[in-house]
Amino acid sequence: MSRFSEKYIITKNKEWEVLGGGVSRKFLGYDNQIMMVRVKFDEGALGAPHQHFHTQATFVVSGKFEFEIDGEKQIVEAGDGVYIEPNLLHSAVCIEAGELIDTFSPVREDFLSGEKVSYFAD
């Protein structure tokens, strides 16, 4: 199935999708090959350990996060980037409230299906 987002995503016109555990998101664009998502974390929010077959690149817009990828921990903050190879176990803890831009390839079908993501603590 071919799917495409709107051409222009005006985020002020979009409501945050509350995922629980102090995490919310807005979709910024996608098709079958790529997806970009804005993710907001409250201080202390956790992206619990998980893995997926998608390649992930993340840009830290604001805040401070401790990522762990394949057993290696690193603190990142505004302006930093994170690259996660497919199938590597990874997690993040929000040290200071902030936002991330997550990019996935291919598209995260589980996000679009309305499936509740299980890797954000409730």
Side-chain angles (χ1 to χ4, degrees):
M1 171 173 71
S2 182
R3 70 168 76 212
F4 300 90
S5 68
E6 303 160 21
K7 287 182 178 64
Y8 300 100
I9 294 84
I10 310 304
T11 59
K12 68 181 177 186
N13 298 336
K14 301 274 185 195
E15 295 293 322
W16 286 99
E17 178 185 357
V18 177
L19 301 175
V23 181
S24 302
R25 73 176 171 205
K26 292 183 182 188
F27 295 112
L28 298 176
Y30 56 86
D31 65 14
N32 290 335
Q33 301 304 310
I34 194 166
M35 170 180 269
M36 187 165 51
V37 183
R38 182 177 172 188
V39 188
K40 179 172 63 170
F41 285 77
D42 294 339
E43 185 174 321
L46 170 67
H50 66 284
Q51 60 192 52
H52 44 74
F53 69 88
H54 310 83
T55 297
Q56 179 176 341
T58 296
F59 175 73
V60 182
V61 176
S62 62
K64 187 181 286 189
F65 298 82
E66 181 182 68
F67 272 79
E68 183 172 354
I69 304 170
D70 200 28
E72 181 182 339
K73 291 184 179 183
Q74 178 67 49
I75 294 178
V76 295
E77 52 191 288
D80 293 336
V82 178
Y83 169 72
I84 303 168
E85 293 178 43
N87 301 309
L88 289 185
L89 186 64
H90 58 282
S91 61
V93 177
C94 182
I95 298 168
E96 293 176 7
E99 291 187 18
L100 304 175
I101 301 295
D102 285 336
T103 306
F104 301 96
S105 179
V107 65
R108 293 290 305 259
E109 291 288 346
D110 55 335
F111 285 8
L112 297 176
S113 71
E115 195 175 308
K116 186 79 169 172
V117 287
S118 61
Y119 52 84
F120 295 112
D122 285 328

